[in-house]
């Protein structure tokens, strides 16, 4: 079906080009879509290759053995350790479930789940490329995302209940001696198809927003910082973009100040509709209905405060 669709697009390319060129709105939408997708695709490919290598050569048991015994220290190490494990949020949920256990292990696993897709090198480099004139955006995203992950880990230590996790640990069968290439290719293929589909949706959403939403609405949002922050936070939850590509979508919304776009980048990898569904499937509904809303509030507040400190709410 994919090959047939590509063949159909190739055959109809001259006609489609004429249609797009004849309408300024379609031309603008096509330019925004292509720019977002082409810029983000190399980082997406790099991310899924690294995540496939991690799935092949790094075991969850080994990661758990590296945690300090003190709960607060375990949460902090898990938050910082997320920077060393590139991958999108889709991959961090099952890894966190394998790491999860009562007490410090559970809090550290949830901290890792939030930090890994937000502060890893692939995401930060992609953010730097998407915002070439604003290096402070990279630092603000890293700090706000790390603080969000650590804060949620600490909150789980204080208020979390192990009985909220109602789903049992999924069973994983490892082939003795390897089939490592099969493991790598399956993990990379799964992550790429999942992330690329959300990238297409995100690029299409950015193009649609640029064309459909009138300019006066963005001007109104830009003039009302609180409304802009709340709107972008909700938009991050609804769009459910991959963390390796969301920076390019945020960068395309040049009509808004940097602060609301920072909130978009911090909230998205922490909580969205696809993550809520995955968490409900891996941890259980009782966990998802508590952890998701709390993460949304914490991420929005921390991103706003960090944005005011690093960006000043400016463009």
């Amino acid at each position: 079906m994919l090959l047939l669709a590509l063949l159909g697009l190739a055959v109809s390319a001259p006609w489609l080009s004429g249609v797009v060129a004849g309408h300024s709105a379609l031309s603008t939408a096509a330019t925004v879509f292509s720019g977002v997708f082409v810029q983000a695709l190399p980082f997406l490919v790099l991310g899924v290759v690294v995540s496939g290598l991690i799935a092949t050569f790094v075991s969850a048991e080994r990661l758990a053995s590296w945690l300090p015994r003190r709960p607060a220290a375990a949460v902090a190490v898990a938050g910082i350790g997320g920077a060393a494990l590139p991958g999108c949020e889709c991959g961090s949920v099952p890894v966190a479930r394998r790491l999860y256990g009562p007490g410090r292990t559970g809090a550290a696993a949830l901290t890792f789940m939030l930090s890994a897709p937000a502060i890893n090198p692939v995401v930060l480099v992609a953010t730097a490329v998407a915002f070439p004139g604003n290096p402070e955006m990279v630092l603000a995203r890293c700090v706000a995302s790390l603080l969000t992950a650590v804060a949620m880990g600490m909150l789980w230590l204080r208020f979390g209940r192990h009985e909220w996790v109602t789903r049992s640990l999924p069973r994983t069968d490892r082939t003795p001696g390897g089939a490592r290439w099969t493991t790598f290719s399956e993990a990379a293929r799964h992550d790429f198809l999942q992330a690329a589909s959300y990238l297409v949706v995100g690029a299409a959403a950015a193009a649609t927003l640029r064309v459909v939403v009138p300019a006066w609405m963005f001007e109104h949002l830009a003039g009302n910082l609180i409304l802009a922050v709340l709107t972008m936070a909700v938009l991050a939850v609804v769009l459910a973009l991959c963390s390796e590509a969301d920076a390019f979508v945020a960068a395309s919304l040049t009509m808004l100040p940097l602060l609301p776009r920072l909130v978009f980048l911090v909230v998205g990898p922490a909580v969205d509709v696809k993550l809520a569904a995955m968490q409900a499937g891996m941890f259980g509904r009782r966990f998802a209905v508590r952890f998701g809303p709390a993460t949304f509030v914490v991420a929005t507040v921390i991103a706003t405060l960090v944005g005011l400190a690093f960006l000043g709410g400016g463009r």
Side-chain angles (χ1 to χ4, degrees):
M1 291 180 65
L2 176 61
L3 290 177
L4 288 176
L6 292 174
L7 182 62
L9 289 174
V11 171
S12 60
W15 176 77
L16 288 175
S17 298
V19 172
V20 171
H23 297 80
S24 59
L26 284 178
S27 180
T28 300
T31 301
V32 173
F33 177 88
S34 300
V36 170
F37 187 82
V38 172
Q39 277 188 304
L41 190 59
F43 297 97
L44 183 59
V45 172
L46 176 60
V48 299
V49 168
V50 175
S51 65
L53 291 173
I54 290 169
T56 305
F57 296 104
V58 181
S59 67
E61 292 78 10
R62 178 173 297 179
L63 290 176
S65 68
W66 293 342
L67 291 175
R69 294 193 175 276
R70 293 181 59 190
V75 167
V77 168
I80 298 173
L85 298 173
C88 70
E89 58 271 29
C90 297
S92 67
V93 175
V95 172
R97 182 63 188 93
R98 288 194 295 270
L99 289 171
Y100 183 85
R104 66 181 180 91
T105 306
L110 298 179
T111 303
F112 167 82
M113 183 176 68
L114 297 179
S115 69
I119 67 170
N120 70 70
V122 176
V123 169
L124 296 182
V125 171
T127 306
V129 173
F131 294 89
N134 304 101
E136 67 276 9
M137 193 72 169
V138 181
L139 181 59
R141 179 178 193 179
C142 181
V143 171
S145 297
L146 179 58
L147 290 178
T148 298
V150 172
M152 287 304 301
M154 294 297 186
L155 286 174
W156 183 262
L157 278 175
R158 178 66 179 84
F159 301 104
R161 298 291 182 270
H162 182 63
E163 56 267 23
W164 293 344
V165 179
T166 56
R167 291 294 179 96
S168 59
L169 186 67
R171 187 174 175 179
T172 56
D173 296 325
R174 293 182 177 271
T175 303
R180 290 179 173 177
W181 170 251
T182 301
T183 302
F184 168 78
S185 60
E186 288 296 324
R189 182 171 63 90
H190 173 269
D191 288 353
F192 179 79
L193 292 176
Q194 288 285 333
S197 62
Y198 288 111
L199 172 59
V200 171
V201 173
T208 303
L209 288 173
R210 179 63 66 90
V211 174
V212 174
V213 179
W216 62 264
M217 186 173 295
F218 284 108
E219 293 173 0
H220 180 67
L221 288 177
N224 190 329
L225 199 57
I226 296 178
L227 182 60
V229 164
L230 293 176
T231 301
M232 292 301 288
V234 173
L235 195 63
V237 175
V238 174
L239 289 183
L241 301 180
C242 172
S243 62
E244 293 162 359
D246 58 1
F248 298 95
V249 176
S252 69
L253 302 176
T254 55
M255 307 77 71
L256 295 175
L258 289 177
L259 176 56
R261 288 187 278 174
L262 173 66
V263 173
F264 178 85
L265 295 179
V266 174
V267 172
V271 53
D272 59 37
V273 289
K274 73 175 185 297
L275 285 177
M278 292 181 69
Q279 290 171 6
M282 298 295 291
F283 291 90
R285 261 185 214 175
R286 295 182 65 187
F287 171 88
V289 298
R290 292 167 172 83
F291 192 80
T295 304
F296 177 81
V297 174
V298 170
T300 303
V301 171
I302 289 179
T304 302
L305 295 176
V306 171
L308 290 173
F310 285 82
L311 308 174
R315 301 197 72 85

